[in-house]
Amino acid sequence: MTNYSININITDEKIVAKFGGTSVGTAEAIIRSAKIVVNNSKIKVVVVSATAGTTNALTELFNLLNTSQTSQAKSKFLEIKERHQKIIEDISKHISIKKKEIQNILSEFEQTYLKYESNLTPDIKDLILSFGERISVAIFASTLQELSTKIKVKHLLATKIICTDENFTEANPISEKISIYVKENLLPLINEDNNENNKTNSVVVTEGFIGSNEKGEITTLGRGGSDYSAALIIRGLYEHDKNFRLLEIWTDVDGIATTDPKIVNNVHNISEVHINEAAELAFLGAKILHPLTLIPLSDVNISVYVGNSFWSDNEKERATKGTFIRKELNSPPLIRALALRNSQTVITLSRVKKPSSYGFLAHVFSILTKYKISIDNITTSEISTSFTYYDNPNIDTNLINELSKYADVKVENSLSLISIIGHKITKVPDILLKIFKILEGYHIRAVFMGASENNISFLISEKHAVEIINKLHSRII
Ligand code: ASP
Ligand code: MG
């Protein structure tokens, strides 16, 4: 029943497709990715990341400029330029693409980086980093245009869509503005030239990761932010055209796996997952999606598909592979996946020192906010409170001193958080019994359950984490 409602009017469905760094990392990858767009006329907008490794290289370039290492900065610039020249040459062996746009951006990049040396501010970092996406978009757009005469490729700079605040390097999008920009700048490009007679399909290609503040300065959404860009764009489109119902994230893995394949051998891919489960997974360290990606989609009927751009025959494989993230699922309560987060620190506050317990947590949270600590889990009793967060072992002693004004403080680290994620997992019969049987003999430091119906998490010593996750995977997944 619910699936049926998702599939009605499927022919009117419009898609935003995002291609990550490895999907545009070489000439072959770019051509393969562009063919996915050519083969699916439902794709109206394409969001492209920088080519693999480029944002790291640009960060190095920025650091070299910042510390006045001019000659090393020059070699870094040349390395980045040459890597893209090579991709362009390699594409040209297959198809003759137009290079003018790409060369323009490469020279703009050169003129820009030459302007800066030493003591640079974060806005300059975002400006330098933005060239990764700007160059890859230019290459992708030219390639796509050359592959099909049925498509009319248009480039719209993401700064004309993604409006953000001024928090350079981790900017926050302003959704109301994005909705307006989408309506004024993006939708007209998608809709013009879509002519029934000549069957031309307009495809707009834009940069992931970058945006602009209201002053028109370039900002970025934080590392890995292209997924988030794509989600913000489809959300903006959906507000004006409800047919924008599918976001495709093309990557280099076969979808979302039951756990990290680097830790467990026989993982398999999940074909379908609820958006809430996927959000838990994204936050808990499954590195497939940027953690914020699903937030703009949480209250609308937009599904996400995660596929591998390296599949040989996308049409055929797409039907059987990859992961759909949906808002409505038919499946009964079940256990779907495991996530592991190392380097967890637990702070326990006990023997509260202030006589009144009112406002105790408010004080604690304001101190945590001051130290920019984001809590993952919390458990509390009448006389003590423990919370976990991700940290390196060097805990800030000022934080501990401040907390000590309110309570006795105990810090434990080298812990791992294992999360069991599933559809209404807390309703799976005897779920805790099943888990605890497998964990027999291990010391469990804390259990977190109940806040979300999709997640049961527990803390154990880091040294047992891999062993436990393998046991759980073979017994309950
Ligand atoms: N190119 C950016 C990065 O490497 C954004 C992205 O790839 O999503 O962080
Ligand atoms: Mg990514």
Side-chain angles (χ1 to χ4, degrees):
M1 176 66 195
T2 37
N3 266 352
Y4 175 75
S5 70
I6 288 164
N7 290 333
I8 50 167
N9 286 335
I10 202 85
T11 47
D12 299 334
E13 182 182 65
K14 293 178 185 169
I15 299 174
V16 172
K18 177 254 168 179
F19 294 89
T22 47
S23 298
V24 293
T26 62
E28 290 70 31
I30 292 174
I31 294 172
R32 218 180 279 123
S33 294
K35 281 186 180 161
I36 292 176
V37 181
V38 171
N39 289 335
N40 189 350
S41 61
K42 293 179 188 168
I43 299 179
K44 305 295 176 194
V45 179
V46 178
V47 179
V48 183
S49 293
T51 60
T54 296
T55 310
N56 287 344
L58 288 164
T59 307
E60 287 164 30
L61 170 63
F62 172 81
N63 292 337
L64 292 167
L65 294 171
N66 202 14
T67 48
S68 304
Q69 302 187 62
T70 324
S71 65
Q72 286 96 321
K74 183 171 184 197
S75 337
K76 194 45 84 185
F77 165 76
L78 289 174
E79 179 197 313
I80 298 168
K81 184 175 167 185
E82 276 154 24
R83 123 184 6 194
H84 289 98
Q85 301 278 27
K86 165 99 172 58
I87 292 178
I88 299 161
E89 273 166 38
D90 289 349
I91 295 177
S92 307
K93 288 177 195 153
H94 303 275
I95 44 174
S96 68
I97 55 165
K98 297 207 173 59
K99 296 176 191 148
K100 194 160 160 277
E101 259 314 292
I102 314 172
Q103 298 305 348
N104 285 348
I105 290 172
L106 284 171
S107 25
E108 192 185 328
F109 174 32
E110 177 156 24
Q111 285 149 23
T112 305
Y113 101 87
L114 284 172
K115 278 196 241 162
Y116 299 105
E117 58 174 298
S118 77
N119 295 324
L120 304 177
T121 40
D123 53 326
I124 307 303
K125 181 168 186 183
D126 279 354
L127 177 63
I128 304 262
L129 259 53
S130 74
F131 282 98
E133 269 68 15
R134 294 187 58 197
I135 303 167
S136 70
V137 158
I139 301 177
F140 194 95
S142 303
T143 308
L144 182 59
Q145 188 58 83
E146 233 25 69
L147 284 177
S148 169
T149 49
K150 297 233 163 58
I151 291 182
K152 186 150 183 189
V153 179
K154 296 159 186 180
H155 172 216
L156 179 63
L157 202 59
T159 54
K160 302 231 162 55
I161 312 172
I162 302 291
C163 181
T164 73
D165 65 7
E166 307 201 345
N167 192 17
F168 293 101
T169 75
E170 290 279 346
N172 304 295
I174 304 172
S175 1
E176 305 76 43
K177 284 274 158 55
I178 295 176
S179 174
I180 297 170
Y181 286 15
V182 161
K183 187 168 174 213
E184 288 177 356
N185 304 332
L186 178 56
L187 266 176
L189 285 184
I190 298 172
N191 293 334
E192 74 185 7
D193 302 311
N194 274 337
N195 186 325
E196 269 305 306
N197 302 326
N198 61 18
K199 297 259 186 280
T200 317
N201 184 21
S202 293
V203 177
V204 179
V205 185
T206 190
E207 297 80 8
F209 183 52
I210 69 174
S212 111
N213 63 18
E214 290 186 61
K215 290 186 200 146
E217 296 159 323
I218 290 192
T219 55
T220 67
L221 299 178
R223 293 304 307 270
S226 296
D227 298 336
Y228 191 27
S229 301
L232 291 164
I233 291 172
I234 194 164
R235 170 64 205 243
L237 286 163
Y238 179 90
E239 274 166 32
H240 308 287
D241 180 348
K242 298 282 176 285
N243 287 327
F244 278 95
R245 287 195 302 264
L246 182 63
L247 171 60
E248 292 185 343
I249 304 277
W250 291 98
T251 169
D252 56 1
V253 293
D254 289 356
I256 300 178
T258 47
T259 193
D260 186 347
K262 288 191 210 90
I263 317 174
V264 176
N265 273 333
N266 51 346
V267 301
H268 53 263
N269 281 293
I270 302 167
S271 58
E272 195 181 52
V273 63
H274 191 272
I275 188 166
N276 293 344
E277 295 172 74
E280 301 263 9
L281 274 167
F283 277 107
L284 289 164
K287 303 229 163 40
I288 311 285
L289 289 180
H290 184 280
L292 300 177
T293 309
L294 299 171
I295 290 179
L297 313 181
S298 62
D299 59 347
V300 284
N301 192 12
I302 298 174
S303 303
V304 181
Y305 173 76
V306 181
N308 191 341
S309 72
F310 291 79
W311 289 332
S312 52
D313 177 351
N314 290 292
E315 284 312 302
K316 201 167 73 224
E317 304 201 60
R318 205 184 118 144
T320 52
K321 288 187 181 175
T323 304
F324 271 100
I325 301 171
R326 294 200 160 111
K327 289 215 70 181
E328 288 173 45
L329 286 189
N330 278 331
S331 57
L334 52 79
I335 303 168
R336 191 118 43 196
L338 299 171
L340 169 65
R341 268 182 136 184
N342 292 324
S343 303
Q344 294 291 307
T345 292
V346 180
I347 294 188
T348 302
L349 305 173
S350 54
R351 268 196 346 110
V352 176
K353 287 173 186 166
K354 296 274 148 123
S356 155
S357 57
Y358 296 138
F360 168 67
L361 281 178
H363 286 302
V364 170
F365 283 134
S366 70
I367 296 171
L368 296 174
T369 309
K370 179 171 157 196
Y371 288 88
K372 295 205 159 105
I373 285 181
S374 123
I375 296 181
D376 291 325
N377 286 290
I378 181 159
T379 159
T380 173
S381 80
E382 197 59 38
I383 52 161
S384 66
T385 299
S386 291
F387 50 81
T388 70
Y389 67 100
Y390 173 82
D391 193 24
N392 54 39
N394 310 320
I395 188 152
D396 190 330
T397 45
N398 293 330
L399 164 69
I400 304 303
N401 292 341
E402 284 202 42
L403 288 173
S404 302
K405 289 184 201 149
Y406 294 95
D408 285 354
V409 182
K410 186 170 141 210
V411 180
E412 297 158 82
N413 39 37
S414 301
L415 292 162
S416 292
L417 185 75
I418 291 189
S419 301
I420 304 174
I421 289 140
H423 184 53
K424 300 189 194 289
I425 189 176
T426 48
K427 301 206 170 74
V428 172
D430 297 330
I431 178 74
L432 285 180
L433 190 66
K434 282 187 187 131
I435 297 170
F436 286 129
K437 267 192 183 153
I438 300 168
L439 296 180
E440 199 182 329
Y442 293 101
H443 173 63
I444 302 172
R445 174 60 190 78
V447 180
F448 307 99
M449 169 175 181
S452 146
E453 58 175 12
N454 305 304
N455 173 355
I456 296 171
S457 296
F458 54 90
L459 271 178
I460 37 106
S461 159
E462 227 168 41
K463 61 176 189 278
H464 295 134
V466 169
E467 196 175 294
I468 290 180
I469 212 153
N470 272 282
K471 281 191 178 166
L472 286 168
H473 195 271
S474 67
R475 306 264 290 274
I476 59 173
I477 300 282

